[in-house]
């Protein structure tokens, strides 16, 4: 049986302190922190999709693109999530995610989680290590790999602009 992996874009937004923007998902209880992300629409590049998803989920648009993955990282959903999707007519087994790194040039007043289709109930600025430690288990390896790739890029960028 062939599996289907949806193309997805993730936005890794960091501030002048080197912390990344995370949202606590509003569709589950408790702490479920993750980066803004969503599907890549027809004709979009991963960086364009990441910027669109970032705005749709957080209201943030004051960013400078720094880097985008050339190849995706893959994660597979749990059986429970797959079944929930199938009940809704969605037949994705997981996602192929391209991470884009952005430097945040705005301020926290720009962050608006009360968007037309809210994804997050709260946000925080935390380290990439925090993001890895608090992501759901089925995404953990992808987040670890992303943090290893992007952490040096964040440090390099901040050393050049400070």
């Amino acid at each position: 049986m062939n599996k289907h992996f949806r193309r997805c874009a993730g936005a890794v937004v960091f501030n002048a302190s080197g912390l990344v923007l995370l949202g606590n998902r509003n569709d589950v209880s408790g702490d479920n922190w993750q980066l803004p992300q969503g599907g890549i629409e027809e004709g979009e590049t991963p960086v364009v999709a990441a910027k669109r998803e970032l705005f749709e989920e957080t209201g943030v648009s004051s960013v400078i693109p720094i880097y985008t993955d050339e190849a995706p990282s893959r994660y597979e959903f749990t059986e429970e999530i797959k079944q929930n999707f199938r009940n809704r007519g969605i037949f994705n087994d997981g996602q192929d995610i391209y991470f884009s790194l952005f430097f945040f040039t705005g301020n926290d007043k720009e962050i608006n989680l009360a968007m037309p289709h809210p994804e997050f109930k709260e946000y925080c600025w935390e380290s990439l290590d925090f993001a890895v430690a608090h992501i759901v288990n089925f995404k953990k390896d992808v987040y670890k790999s992303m943090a290893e790739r992007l952490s040096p890029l964040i440090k390099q960028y901040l050393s050049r602009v400070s």
Side-chain angles (χ1 to χ4, degrees), residues 57-160:
E57 295 180 3
T58 68
V60 169
S61 62
S62 299
V63 293
I64 298 169
I66 307 297
Y67 164 88
T68 298
D69 287 336
E70 290 183 18
S73 300
R74 176 172 282 181
Y75 61 83
E76 192 165 336
F77 297 130
T78 64
E79 288 305 318
E80 179 183 358
I81 292 171
K82 288 183 202 181
Q83 190 56 53
N84 286 340
F85 279 148
R86 287 182 180 105
N87 291 343
R88 295 176 15 217
I90 302 168
F91 297 95
N92 296 322
D93 293 290
Q95 298 196 103
D96 284 337
I97 187 166
Y98 295 81
F99 288 103
S100 291
L101 181 64
F102 300 97
F103 179 63
F104 183 55
T105 60
N107 62 54
D108 281 14
K109 291 178 188 167
E110 181 176 345
I111 300 170
N112 176 16
L113 303 183
M115 299 302 281
H117 303 285
E119 296 273 337
F120 301 122
K121 56 190 167 198
E122 63 184 317
Y123 76 91
C124 69
W125 291 98
E126 275 291 346
S127 67
L128 277 174
D129 289 340
F130 178 95
V132 171
H134 289 84
I135 192 62
V136 294
N137 281 336
F138 67 89
K139 293 184 186 179
K140 197 160 294 277
D141 288 342
V142 166
Y143 267 53
K144 279 182 193 174
S145 175
M146 172 274 299
E148 289 170 2
R149 280 192 317 281
L150 301 188
S151 196
L153 297 178
I154 291 171
K155 289 176 182 151
Q156 286 171 7
Y157 186 84
L158 291 176
S159 71
R160 285 198 323 263

